[in-house]
Amino acid sequence: MSTLDTVAHAAQTPDVEQPWAELGLKSDEYANIREIVGRRPTIAELAMYSVMWSEHCSYKSSKVHFALWGENTTDQMREKLLVGIGENAGVVDIGDGWAVTFKAESHNHPSYVEPYQGAATGVGGIVRDIMSMGARPIAVMDSLRFGNLDHPDTARVLPGVVAGVGGYGNCLGLPNVGGEVVFDDCYQGNPLVNALCVGAMRVEDIHLAKATGVGNHVVLFGAKTGGDGIGGVSVLASETFDEGGPAKRPAVQVGDPFAEKVLIECCLDLYAARVVAGIQDLGGAGLSCATSELASNGEGGMRIELDKVPLRDPSLRPEEILMSESQERMMAIVEPHRLEEFLAITTKWDVEATVLGEVTDTGRLVVTWHGEVIVDVPPRSVAHEGPTYHRPLARPTYLDVLTADDTTDLARPGDHDGAGLRHALLTVLAGPNIADKSWVTDQYDRYVMGNTAMAQPDDAGVVRVDEFTGLGVALATDCNSRFCALDPYDGAQLALSEAYRNVAVSGARPLAVTDCLNFGSPEDPGVMWAFRESVRALAEGCKFLGIPVTGGNVSFYNQTGDVAIHPTPLVGVLGVMQDVSKRPGSGFRTEGEHIYLLGATRDELDGSEWSRVLHGHLGGRPPQVDLAAEMRLAEVLVQGTDKRVFGMAHDLSQGGLAIALAESVLRHGVGAAVSLREVTHIWGVSAFAALFAESTARVLVSVREDHERPLAQLCAANSVPMAHLGTVGRPGSGLVVQDCFEVDLDELQAAHTHTLRAAFAG
Amino acid sequence: MRIGVVTFPGSLDDRDAIRAVRLCGAEAVSLWHADDTLHDVDAVILPGGFSYGDYLRCGAIARFAPVMDRVIDAATGGMPVLGICNGFQILCESHLLPGALIRNDHRLFNCIDVRLVVENTATPWTRDFGRWQEITIALKNGEGGYVADQRTLDMLEAEGRVVFRYAGSNPNGSYNAIAGVSNERGNVVGLMPHPEHCVEEGFGPSTDGRGFFTSVIAALAAGTGLEVRQ
């Protein structure tokens, strides 16, 4: 065995070669670390800096752009914001003393390497972020992006990811209320797994990650620490200290949802007993992150006896323990006179808890190993003062070619080509991105907790927060990355528009935004330009809509070789609803109700689902962004829902009106008879464009006859254009588009449900 | 009227069962797995979830929880006991109910709304339903396939102890499409679908689940079960 690399030893041996490059540090970063500590770092310190200064933990390429968030947040937007960007998750005030916290996070690379555990621990990690704010997690969503449905590797990755999301979330007892499943060739070698969690608490129960109060205990509780999730540090083990331990440790963490479920209930009991002065979950970078962040957010110092950490694998070296990403662990700051009570609660839940050390005001994070000092650093230098890069940005020249290659020349069915329009509908409906996703979503428990008012396949997830008043929240996540590929600025605002609209269409008033920004390599100026454009678009869009960004996540290096994924800035919007039982739902139910299209239709087919499925084409300009129209439409939807005007309401997005109509028929097996006459007349578009254009700020609604007048008044008051389409048919009937085509229910169902089941079932 | 709901570590639908009991008009009493008393309840519900993680075999560990000794005694004495999903699995592991639950035949976790036929309305948990009434209840599990040997199946069928049967297609390969069964006396009932998720308009596929809870309240009020209170 090699000797322990203590601070004293490091001071005496300044010239030892250190594996900083293998740990992903640049030479100037390593020099900077030497300057901060005033000597060469110990191996434990080097490991800590390397992982905390990684792109994933330090946001070193992205953080220069985050000033855009602050610059675009007004005082009015901050009114409902209780906790903003920078904490584990943002918190917003939803009224009646309730606060809601929500956040999305990526787990892309682990899910590609090991789909089940990668996805499972993605859910586990975001749930712990929400728990560490003091909230009870109340729902999850997952946005999944895969390569081509027909590619053999998709058959490897997708079932594992879905089983992982379900296996972990179901066992945790959190309803999965929505998300996305998207297929696009750009994700073939780099699928995206973005998990979102929402939690609720009373406003006075908000907790923060701060180590305050000199002399307070630092308590590690939850699962034992093992060798899982040690990425870079395995380099250390193999390069320098290999004799004792296992040669290669798994880089993907392994989840234990039962341990996390018990940890949730245990934490909620601890919060209720008010024995927690500060709390932080252990996620990426494990103890390195938790100790340095807690210390630098609080009194500034902490002393930890690392040898007290309960281990699953006794051969772990101290630097490995510091880096381990073992799941289901939390760190709490506890006042000495509350410790006994704290430990009584952890004992009740059979959760192991260990006092590791104490809060100090020395301004140093000191870690000892059997009495010898192995880390002695300023915690801020680890947690918050990592490198910052101003990466070069350049608009890629290929965009001009892409923009010029629009859909003008693609063959379209004419107004009298009923058979051609019918064929287009059934083909788009069966396309993997529109096709029924129940093979996936039926693997998720949407009912647990008994508060789910709406879930997939409706437009948003809606959950009740207060059982006695019906107060609740709606959540939607969206991103059409094809639009982002054509124009990253407009694409990001279109993602924001769609999530905003999906929340409004459920009847909730949009309140706050989170994001999960998935991009290629930040070292590629074209990627970095698209990133900057996306952040700017979201910040400016949110300012226009008057809803703040509360937090988010950046995932870079999503690419295969030199080819990056489409820019994929996933946007999650949260809305509030006084009485969630009023949500209209997205399907036709009641025969005879009148169907209206709200919003303006333009001949916008570039980047559309039709152009993809029927022509394999991507080019031109995305549909026009119109945030003012989205706001006016949301007003109609929110007020109309509150007055119970709508029989149903469904968002128009991919596949346009044709798909919105088909989905509304399929939802409850109740048909519709419509005419395109008003739409084509008012907007001067062809029947084809009326059916398949993807113009934004549009929804489909149905109303009883006696509600037609109130609807018209609402629309007039908000300047939202409306076109009468037709009426809801009888149960079991299909879709009739007058003077165009008819499709019976069975044929619609067959087209819609066959695709995913054929690929994955049996 | 006091109805106990047991929480094991890993129970998930305990809060839902408590809400259902309360909404249907009884007092819900939370029971802890490590308790060795039932706190004077008149009936017990074992809720859904993954007790102790269910890493070994569903319900196999929970069966040995201290509270289960009291539940087994009470059930043997005639107290109404309902096992939902994981609770059903625990009742089978405890031998309060015959048979076992195995991995769904399609091998996936499945969350769907199913139609059930109520075939036995003589139990304290089903007396408010009509015989052969069809109800819609949420089903969500990975291991919901009911199996038993032929002799047991014949006995259950002959004695009318198949309390619920899946109508339409069989969602998980359960033998004889059995969704729920009772013990010989009828006081212990277990089923895989989740009636506690079907008690409020707008929060679940139906309100058909209310019948379970109103039934037991009526049964207890009528004295059925009260005489055996522990």
mmCIF file of all heavy atoms in Angstrom, chain A residues 170 256-258 261 349 442-451 464 467 583, chain B residues 9 11-13 16 19 22 32 52-53 55 109-111 113 138 140 200 202:
data_model
loop_
_atom_site.group_PDB
_atom_site.id
_atom_site.type_symbol
_atom_site.label_atom_id
_atom_site.label_comp_id
_atom_site.label_asym_id
_atom_site.label_seq_id
_atom_site.Cartn_x
_atom_site.Cartn_y
_atom_site.Cartn_z
ATOM 1 N N ASN A 170 -41.891 4.445 -9.571
ATOM 2 C CA ASN A 170 -43.023 3.677 -9.041
ATOM 3 C C ASN A 170 -42.749 3.236 -7.615
ATOM 4 O O ASN A 170 -43.627 3.259 -6.759
ATOM 5 C CB ASN A 170 -43.292 2.439 -9.896
ATOM 6 C CG ASN A 170 -43.756 2.777 -11.299
ATOM 7 O OD1 ASN A 170 -44.215 3.888 -11.553
ATOM 8 N ND2 ASN A 170 -43.627 1.834 -12.214
ATOM 9 N N ASP A 256 -31.272 2.593 -5.375
ATOM 10 C CA ASP A 256 -32.066 1.775 -4.460
ATOM 11 C C ASP A 256 -33.293 2.613 -4.075
ATOM 12 O O ASP A 256 -33.248 3.389 -3.125
ATOM 13 C CB ASP A 256 -31.235 1.419 -3.229
ATOM 14 C CG ASP A 256 -32.039 0.652 -2.178
ATOM 15 O OD1 ASP A 256 -33.271 0.457 -2.370
ATOM 16 O OD2 ASP A 256 -31.447 0.263 -1.156
ATOM 17 N N PRO A 257 -34.370 2.479 -4.855
ATOM 18 C CA PRO A 257 -35.518 3.366 -4.620
ATOM 19 C C PRO A 257 -36.144 3.177 -3.243
ATOM 20 O O PRO A 257 -36.679 4.137 -2.675
ATOM 21 C CB PRO A 257 -36.499 2.976 -5.734
ATOM 22 C CG PRO A 257 -36.062 1.635 -6.202
ATOM 23 C CD PRO A 257 -34.589 1.563 -5.982
ATOM 24 N N PHE A 258 -36.075 1.976 -2.707
ATOM 25 C CA PHE A 258 -36.618 1.775 -1.361
ATOM 26 C C PHE A 258 -35.884 2.648 -0.354
ATOM 27 O O PHE A 258 -36.493 3.324 0.484
ATOM 28 C CB PHE A 258 -36.520 0.288 -0.977
ATOM 29 C CG PHE A 258 -36.816 0.023 0.463
ATOM 30 C CD1 PHE A 258 -38.074 0.286 0.988
ATOM 31 C CD2 PHE A 258 -35.830 -0.467 1.306
ATOM 32 C CE1 PHE A 258 -38.358 0.049 2.328
ATOM 33 C CE2 PHE A 258 -36.099 -0.703 2.646
ATOM 34 C CZ PHE A 258 -37.366 -0.448 3.158
ATOM 35 N N LYS A 261 -37.135 6.135 -0.785
ATOM 36 C CA LYS A 261 -38.492 6.334 -0.246
ATOM 37 C C LYS A 261 -38.428 6.522 1.276
ATOM 38 O O LYS A 261 -39.065 7.424 1.834
ATOM 39 C CB LYS A 261 -39.360 5.121 -0.609
ATOM 40 C CG LYS A 261 -40.682 5.026 0.139
ATOM 41 C CD LYS A 261 -41.626 6.177 -0.162
ATOM 42 C CE LYS A 261 -42.925 6.032 0.630
ATOM 43 N NZ LYS A 261 -43.765 7.240 0.485
ATOM 44 N N TRP A 349 -36.803 5.253 11.259
ATOM 45 C CA TRP A 349 -36.881 4.865 9.840
ATOM 46 C C TRP A 349 -35.771 3.900 9.438
ATOM 47 O O TRP A 349 -35.607 3.615 8.254
ATOM 48 C CB TRP A 349 -36.860 6.113 8.954
ATOM 49 C CG TRP A 349 -38.146 6.867 9.028
ATOM 50 C CD1 TRP A 349 -38.408 8.002 9.738
ATOM 51 C CD2 TRP A 349 -39.388 6.518 8.393
ATOM 52 N NE1 TRP A 349 -39.722 8.371 9.577
ATOM 53 C CE2 TRP A 349 -40.344 7.488 8.758
ATOM 54 C CE3 TRP A 349 -39.784 5.469 7.539
ATOM 55 C CZ2 TRP A 349 -41.670 7.443 8.303
ATOM 56 C CZ3 TRP A 349 -41.099 5.435 7.090
ATOM 57 C CH2 TRP A 349 -42.030 6.416 7.481
ATOM 58 N N ASP A 442 -47.798 3.583 -19.698
ATOM 59 C CA ASP A 442 -48.493 2.613 -18.839
ATOM 60 C C ASP A 442 -47.528 1.911 -17.881
ATOM 61 O O ASP A 442 -47.962 1.201 -16.977
ATOM 62 C CB ASP A 442 -49.237 1.569 -19.674
ATOM 63 C CG ASP A 442 -50.534 2.120 -20.263
ATOM 64 O OD1 ASP A 442 -50.895 3.266 -19.928
ATOM 65 O OD2 ASP A 442 -51.179 1.402 -21.057
ATOM 66 N N GLN A 443 -46.226 2.098 -18.105
ATOM 67 C CA GLN A 443 -45.260 1.503 -17.171
ATOM 68 C C GLN A 443 -44.989 2.429 -15.979
ATOM 69 O O GLN A 443 -44.164 2.108 -15.126
ATOM 70 C CB GLN A 443 -43.951 1.181 -17.896
ATOM 71 C CG GLN A 443 -44.138 0.097 -18.970
ATOM 72 C CD GLN A 443 -42.825 -0.316 -19.594
ATOM 73 O OE1 GLN A 443 -41.866 -0.634 -18.891
ATOM 74 N NE2 GLN A 443 -42.768 -0.312 -20.916
ATOM 75 N N TYR A 444 -45.665 3.569 -15.957
ATOM 76 C CA TYR A 444 -45.488 4.520 -14.857
ATOM 77 C C TYR A 444 -46.784 4.619 -14.055
ATOM 78 O O TYR A 444 -47.870 4.728 -14.620
ATOM 79 C CB TYR A 444 -45.175 5.927 -15.384
ATOM 80 C CG TYR A 444 -44.015 6.045 -16.348
ATOM 81 C CD1 TYR A 444 -44.040 7.011 -17.355
ATOM 82 C CD2 TYR A 444 -42.888 5.228 -16.248
ATOM 83 C CE1 TYR A 444 -42.983 7.165 -18.231
ATOM 84 C CE2 TYR A 444 -41.829 5.383 -17.135
ATOM 85 C CZ TYR A 444 -41.881 6.344 -18.124
ATOM 86 O OH TYR A 444 -40.837 6.502 -18.988
ATOM 87 N N ASP A 445 -46.648 4.646 -12.734
ATOM 88 C CA ASP A 445 -47.799 4.836 -11.846
ATOM 89 C C ASP A 445 -48.210 6.312 -11.892
ATOM 90 O O ASP A 445 -47.443 7.180 -11.496
ATOM 91 C CB ASP A 445 -47.383 4.432 -10.421
ATOM 92 C CG ASP A 445 -48.527 4.531 -9.427
ATOM 93 O OD1 ASP A 445 -49.592 5.100 -9.768
ATOM 94 O OD2 ASP A 445 -48.351 4.022 -8.301
ATOM 95 N N ARG A 446 -49.412 6.590 -12.389
ATOM 96 C CA ARG A 446 -49.854 7.988 -12.426
ATOM 97 C C ARG A 446 -50.862 8.292 -11.324
ATOM 98 O O ARG A 446 -51.311 9.419 -11.181
ATOM 99 C CB ARG A 446 -50.442 8.335 -13.793
ATOM 100 C CG ARG A 446 -51.661 7.512 -14.189
ATOM 101 C CD ARG A 446 -52.105 7.873 -15.610
ATOM 102 N NE ARG A 446 -53.141 6.980 -16.086
ATOM 103 C CZ ARG A 446 -52.921 5.789 -16.629
ATOM 104 N NH1 ARG A 446 -51.670 5.357 -16.763
ATOM 105 N NH2 ARG A 446 -53.911 5.034 -17.029
ATOM 106 N N TYR A 447 -51.252 7.276 -10.551
ATOM 107 C CA TYR A 447 -52.328 7.459 -9.579
ATOM 108 C C TYR A 447 -51.859 7.640 -8.137
ATOM 109 O O TYR A 447 -52.595 8.166 -7.316
ATOM 110 C CB TYR A 447 -53.263 6.247 -9.610
ATOM 111 C CG TYR A 447 -54.122 6.175 -10.848
ATOM 112 C CD1 TYR A 447 -54.152 5.026 -11.627
ATOM 113 C CD2 TYR A 447 -54.918 7.249 -11.219
ATOM 114 C CE1 TYR A 447 -54.952 4.949 -12.757
ATOM 115 C CE2 TYR A 447 -55.717 7.184 -12.349
ATOM 116 C CZ TYR A 447 -55.734 6.021 -13.103
ATOM 117 O OH TYR A 447 -56.529 5.962 -14.210
ATOM 118 N N VAL A 448 -50.670 7.131 -7.807
ATOM 119 C CA VAL A 448 -50.241 7.111 -6.405
ATOM 120 C C VAL A 448 -50.296 8.529 -5.824
ATOM 121 O O VAL A 448 -50.040 9.507 -6.519
ATOM 122 C CB VAL A 448 -48.833 6.489 -6.282
ATOM 123 C CG1 VAL A 448 -47.785 7.321 -7.010
ATOM 124 C CG2 VAL A 448 -48.446 6.264 -4.837
ATOM 125 N N MET A 449 -50.658 8.629 -4.589
ATOM 126 C CA MET A 449 -50.864 9.874 -3.823
ATOM 127 C C MET A 449 -52.279 10.424 -3.985
ATOM 128 O O MET A 449 -52.705 11.285 -3.219
ATOM 129 C CB MET A 449 -49.855 10.971 -4.153
ATOM 130 C CG MET A 449 -48.452 10.602 -3.728
ATOM 131 S SD MET A 449 -47.323 11.978 -3.975
ATOM 132 C CE MET A 449 -46.489 11.941 -2.405
ATOM 133 N N GLY A 450 -52.987 9.959 -5.012
ATOM 134 C CA GLY A 450 -54.406 10.307 -5.120
ATOM 135 C C GLY A 450 -54.692 11.760 -5.453
ATOM 136 O O GLY A 450 -55.807 12.226 -5.252
ATOM 137 N N ASN A 451 -53.702 12.477 -5.976
ATOM 138 C CA ASN A 451 -53.910 13.893 -6.277
ATOM 139 C C ASN A 451 -53.784 14.217 -7.759
ATOM 140 O O ASN A 451 -53.775 15.378 -8.144
ATOM 141 C CB ASN A 451 -52.917 14.754 -5.478
ATOM 142 C CG ASN A 451 -53.267 14.772 -4.004
ATOM 143 O OD1 ASN A 451 -54.427 14.941 -3.641
ATOM 144 N ND2 ASN A 451 -52.274 14.566 -3.150
ATOM 145 N N ARG A 464 -53.042 18.073 -7.496
ATOM 146 C CA ARG A 464 -53.599 18.864 -6.401
ATOM 147 C C ARG A 464 -52.541 19.006 -5.315
ATOM 148 O O ARG A 464 -51.854 18.049 -4.985
ATOM 149 C CB ARG A 464 -54.831 18.104 -5.877
ATOM 150 C CG ARG A 464 -55.580 18.758 -4.767
ATOM 151 C CD ARG A 464 -56.875 18.009 -4.510
ATOM 152 N NE ARG A 464 -56.660 16.601 -4.163
ATOM 153 C CZ ARG A 464 -57.651 15.759 -3.882
ATOM 154 N NH1 ARG A 464 -58.901 16.154 -3.933
ATOM 155 N NH2 ARG A 464 -57.377 14.496 -3.571
ATOM 156 N N GLU A 467 -55.588 19.371 -0.502
ATOM 157 C CA GLU A 467 -56.753 18.494 -0.630
ATOM 158 C C GLU A 467 -58.053 19.177 -0.271
ATOM 159 O O GLU A 467 -59.122 18.748 -0.679
ATOM 160 C CB GLU A 467 -56.601 17.327 0.350
ATOM 161 C CG GLU A 467 -55.979 16.136 -0.255
ATOM 162 C CD GLU A 467 -55.932 14.997 0.741
ATOM 163 O OE1 GLU A 467 -56.956 14.697 1.373
ATOM 164 O OE2 GLU A 467 -54.839 14.433 0.881
ATOM 165 N N ARG A 583 -60.181 21.430 -14.496
ATOM 166 C CA ARG A 583 -59.446 21.266 -15.761
ATOM 167 C C ARG A 583 -60.299 20.530 -16.783
ATOM 168 O O ARG A 583 -60.955 19.550 -16.469
ATOM 169 C CB ARG A 583 -58.114 20.539 -15.553
ATOM 170 C CG ARG A 583 -58.212 19.027 -15.475
ATOM 171 C CD ARG A 583 -58.545 18.582 -14.061
ATOM 172 N NE ARG A 583 -58.715 17.141 -13.925
ATOM 173 C CZ ARG A 583 -59.863 16.518 -14.113
ATOM 174 N NH1 ARG A 583 -60.928 17.177 -14.501
ATOM 175 N NH2 ARG A 583 -59.940 15.217 -13.945
ATOM 176 N N PRO B 9 -42.254 0.293 5.986
ATOM 177 C CA PRO B 9 -41.296 1.074 5.195
ATOM 178 C C PRO B 9 -41.449 0.655 3.723
ATOM 179 O O PRO B 9 -41.432 -0.543 3.429
ATOM 180 C CB PRO B 9 -39.937 0.645 5.747
ATOM 181 C CG PRO B 9 -40.232 0.076 7.110
ATOM 182 C CD PRO B 9 -41.596 -0.525 7.015
ATOM 183 N N SER B 11 -44.276 1.340 2.011
ATOM 184 C CA SER B 11 -45.696 1.462 1.648
ATOM 185 C C SER B 11 -45.873 2.777 0.897
ATOM 186 O O SER B 11 -45.261 3.785 1.252
ATOM 187 C CB SER B 11 -46.584 1.488 2.898
ATOM 188 O OG SER B 11 -46.614 0.224 3.499
ATOM 189 N N LEU B 12 -46.709 2.766 -0.138
ATOM 190 C CA LEU B 12 -46.870 3.965 -0.962
ATOM 191 C C LEU B 12 -48.294 4.498 -0.952
ATOM 192 O O LEU B 12 -48.511 5.700 -1.063
ATOM 193 C CB LEU B 12 -46.476 3.667 -2.408
ATOM 194 C CG LEU B 12 -45.072 3.109 -2.616
ATOM 195 C CD1 LEU B 12 -44.830 2.825 -4.088
ATOM 196 C CD2 LEU B 12 -44.021 4.067 -2.096
ATOM 197 N N ASP B 13 -49.257 3.617 -0.885
ATOM 198 C CA ASP B 13 -50.643 4.044 -1.007
ATOM 199 C C ASP B 13 -51.332 4.119 0.351
ATOM 200 O O ASP B 13 -52.560 4.102 0.425
ATOM 201 C CB ASP B 13 -51.386 3.094 -1.949
ATOM 202 C CG ASP B 13 -50.713 3.027 -3.314
ATOM 203 O OD1 ASP B 13 -50.537 4.086 -3.920
ATOM 204 O OD2 ASP B 13 -50.336 1.922 -3.737
ATOM 205 N N ASP B 16 -53.265 7.350 0.665
ATOM 206 C CA ASP B 16 -54.464 7.270 -0.167
ATOM 207 C C ASP B 16 -55.555 6.458 0.527
ATOM 208 O O ASP B 16 -56.737 6.812 0.488
ATOM 209 C CB ASP B 16 -54.139 6.617 -1.504
ATOM 210 C CG ASP B 16 -52.968 7.299 -2.192
ATOM 211 O OD1 ASP B 16 -51.874 7.314 -1.601
ATOM 212 O OD2 ASP B 16 -53.147 7.815 -3.297
ATOM 213 N N ARG B 19 -57.058 8.492 3.253
ATOM 214 C CA ARG B 19 -57.979 9.483 2.695
ATOM 215 C C ARG B 19 -59.310 8.826 2.315
ATOM 216 O O ARG B 19 -60.395 9.367 2.602
ATOM 217 C CB ARG B 19 -57.363 10.143 1.465
ATOM 218 C CG ARG B 19 -58.271 11.194 0.832
ATOM 219 C CD ARG B 19 -57.839 11.572 -0.574
ATOM 220 N NE ARG B 19 -56.575 12.276 -0.620
ATOM 221 C CZ ARG B 19 -55.475 11.828 -1.225
ATOM 222 N NH1 ARG B 19 -55.489 10.663 -1.843
ATOM 223 N NH2 ARG B 19 -54.373 12.528 -1.228
ATOM 224 N N ARG B 22 -61.407 8.132 5.333
ATOM 225 C CA ARG B 22 -61.941 9.385 5.872
ATOM 226 C C ARG B 22 -63.081 9.917 4.999
ATOM 227 O O ARG B 22 -64.144 10.292 5.505
ATOM 228 C CB ARG B 22 -60.795 10.406 5.936
ATOM 229 C CG ARG B 22 -61.179 11.768 6.470
ATOM 230 C CD ARG B 22 -59.940 12.636 6.736
ATOM 231 N NE ARG B 22 -59.007 12.738 5.628
ATOM 232 C CZ ARG B 22 -59.222 13.455 4.523
ATOM 233 N NH1 ARG B 22 -60.352 14.117 4.373
ATOM 234 N NH2 ARG B 22 -58.317 13.498 3.568
ATOM 235 N N TRP B 32 -48.268 1.373 12.543
ATOM 236 C CA TRP B 32 -46.838 1.320 12.163
ATOM 237 C C TRP B 32 -46.382 -0.137 12.159
ATOM 238 O O TRP B 32 -46.775 -0.908 13.030
ATOM 239 C CB TRP B 32 -46.056 2.171 13.146
ATOM 240 C CG TRP B 32 -44.568 2.285 12.920
ATOM 241 C CD1 TRP B 32 -43.588 1.924 13.789
ATOM 242 C CD2 TRP B 32 -43.902 2.828 11.775
ATOM 243 N NE1 TRP B 32 -42.354 2.208 13.253
ATOM 244 C CE2 TRP B 32 -42.508 2.753 12.023
ATOM 245 C CE3 TRP B 32 -44.353 3.351 10.557
ATOM 246 C CZ2 TRP B 32 -41.562 3.196 11.091
ATOM 247 C CZ3 TRP B 32 -43.395 3.783 9.638
ATOM 248 C CH2 TRP B 32 -42.019 3.711 9.905
ATOM 249 N N TYR B 52 -40.589 -2.822 2.331
ATOM 250 C CA TYR B 52 -39.158 -3.154 2.497
ATOM 251 C C TYR B 52 -38.453 -3.260 1.141
ATOM 252 O O TYR B 52 -37.452 -3.957 0.992
ATOM 253 C CB TYR B 52 -38.970 -4.442 3.306
ATOM 254 C CG TYR B 52 -39.673 -4.416 4.645
ATOM 255 C CD1 TYR B 52 -40.947 -4.962 4.775
ATOM 256 C CD2 TYR B 52 -39.087 -3.826 5.759
ATOM 257 C CE1 TYR B 52 -41.620 -4.912 5.990
ATOM 258 C CE2 TYR B 52 -39.751 -3.777 6.977
ATOM 259 C CZ TYR B 52 -41.018 -4.322 7.081
ATOM 260 O OH TYR B 52 -41.673 -4.277 8.275
ATOM 261 N N GLY B 53 -38.995 -2.581 0.120
ATOM 262 C CA GLY B 53 -38.395 -2.623 -1.208
ATOM 263 C C GLY B 53 -38.830 -3.808 -2.045
ATOM 264 O O GLY B 53 -38.633 -3.824 -3.255
ATOM 265 N N TYR B 55 -37.490 -6.522 -2.552
ATOM 266 C CA TYR B 55 -36.400 -7.021 -3.387
ATOM 267 C C TYR B 55 -36.328 -8.547 -3.384
ATOM 268 O O TYR B 55 -35.809 -9.157 -4.303
ATOM 269 C CB TYR B 55 -35.053 -6.441 -2.926
ATOM 270 C CG TYR B 55 -34.936 -4.949 -3.175
ATOM 271 C CD1 TYR B 55 -34.572 -4.065 -2.167
ATOM 272 C CD2 TYR B 55 -35.185 -4.418 -4.436
ATOM 273 C CE1 TYR B 55 -34.458 -2.708 -2.400
ATOM 274 C CE2 TYR B 55 -35.082 -3.064 -4.681
ATOM 275 C CZ TYR B 55 -34.713 -2.212 -3.659
ATOM 276 O OH TYR B 55 -34.601 -0.867 -3.901
ATOM 277 N N PHE B 109 -44.326 -3.610 -15.688
ATOM 278 C CA PHE B 109 -45.215 -2.886 -14.791
ATOM 279 C C PHE B 109 -46.311 -2.286 -15.667
ATOM 280 O O PHE B 109 -46.057 -1.812 -16.761
ATOM 281 C CB PHE B 109 -44.448 -1.764 -14.081
ATOM 282 C CG PHE B 109 -45.248 -1.043 -13.031
ATOM 283 C CD1 PHE B 109 -45.117 -1.386 -11.694
ATOM 284 C CD2 PHE B 109 -46.121 -0.023 -13.371
ATOM 285 C CE1 PHE B 109 -45.842 -0.720 -10.716
ATOM 286 C CE2 PHE B 109 -46.855 0.645 -12.403
ATOM 287 C CZ PHE B 109 -46.715 0.292 -11.067
ATOM 288 N N ASN B 110 -47.543 -2.295 -15.169
ATOM 289 C CA ASN B 110 -48.665 -1.865 -15.998
ATOM 290 C C ASN B 110 -49.617 -1.037 -15.159
ATOM 291 O O ASN B 110 -50.102 -1.515 -14.135
ATOM 292 C CB ASN B 110 -49.376 -3.127 -16.522
ATOM 293 C CG ASN B 110 -50.132 -2.866 -17.810
ATOM 294 O OD1 ASN B 110 -49.921 -1.850 -18.452
ATOM 295 N ND2 ASN B 110 -51.002 -3.783 -18.166
ATOM 296 N N CYS B 111 -49.850 0.212 -15.576
ATOM 297 C CA CYS B 111 -50.802 1.082 -14.876
ATOM 298 C C CYS B 111 -51.957 1.371 -15.824
ATOM 299 O O CYS B 111 -51.807 2.148 -16.769
ATOM 300 C CB CYS B 111 -50.103 2.386 -14.472
ATOM 301 S SG CYS B 111 -51.192 3.587 -13.684
ATOM 302 N N ASP B 113 -56.616 1.221 -16.302
ATOM 303 C CA ASP B 113 -57.923 1.120 -15.653
ATOM 304 C C ASP B 113 -58.553 -0.199 -16.102
ATOM 305 O O ASP B 113 -58.592 -0.473 -17.294
ATOM 306 C CB ASP B 113 -58.814 2.291 -16.062
ATOM 307 C CG ASP B 113 -58.141 3.627 -15.779
ATOM 308 O OD1 ASP B 113 -57.308 3.677 -14.844
ATOM 309 O OD2 ASP B 113 -58.435 4.608 -16.492
ATOM 310 N N ALA B 138 -58.540 1.281 -10.858
ATOM 311 C CA ALA B 138 -57.153 1.394 -11.353
ATOM 312 C C ALA B 138 -56.346 0.162 -10.951
ATOM 313 O O ALA B 138 -56.472 -0.335 -9.832
ATOM 314 C CB ALA B 138 -56.505 2.649 -10.775
ATOM 315 N N LYS B 140 -52.258 -1.257 -11.020
ATOM 316 C CA LYS B 140 -50.879 -0.791 -11.260
ATOM 317 C C LYS B 140 -49.931 -1.690 -10.492
ATOM 318 O O LYS B 140 -49.873 -1.639 -9.269
ATOM 319 C CB LYS B 140 -50.728 0.675 -10.842
ATOM 320 C CG LYS B 140 -51.409 1.027 -9.525
ATOM 321 C CD LYS B 140 -51.006 2.378 -8.986
ATOM 322 C CE LYS B 140 -50.843 2.294 -7.496
ATOM 323 N NZ LYS B 140 -50.547 3.528 -6.824
ATOM 324 N N GLU B 200 -62.775 9.676 -5.524
ATOM 325 C CA GLU B 200 -63.074 11.103 -5.701
ATOM 326 C C GLU B 200 -63.258 11.400 -7.180
ATOM 327 O O GLU B 200 -62.404 11.044 -8.001
ATOM 328 C CB GLU B 200 -61.888 11.959 -5.217
ATOM 329 C CG GLU B 200 -61.820 12.203 -3.755
ATOM 330 C CD GLU B 200 -60.690 13.175 -3.458
ATOM 331 O OE1 GLU B 200 -59.518 12.737 -3.427
ATOM 332 O OE2 GLU B 200 -60.962 14.350 -3.271
ATOM 333 N N GLY B 202 -62.828 13.020 -10.498
ATOM 334 C CA GLY B 202 -61.739 13.818 -11.069
ATOM 335 C C GLY B 202 -60.344 13.380 -10.648
ATOM 336 O O GLY B 202 -59.363 13.862 -11.182
#
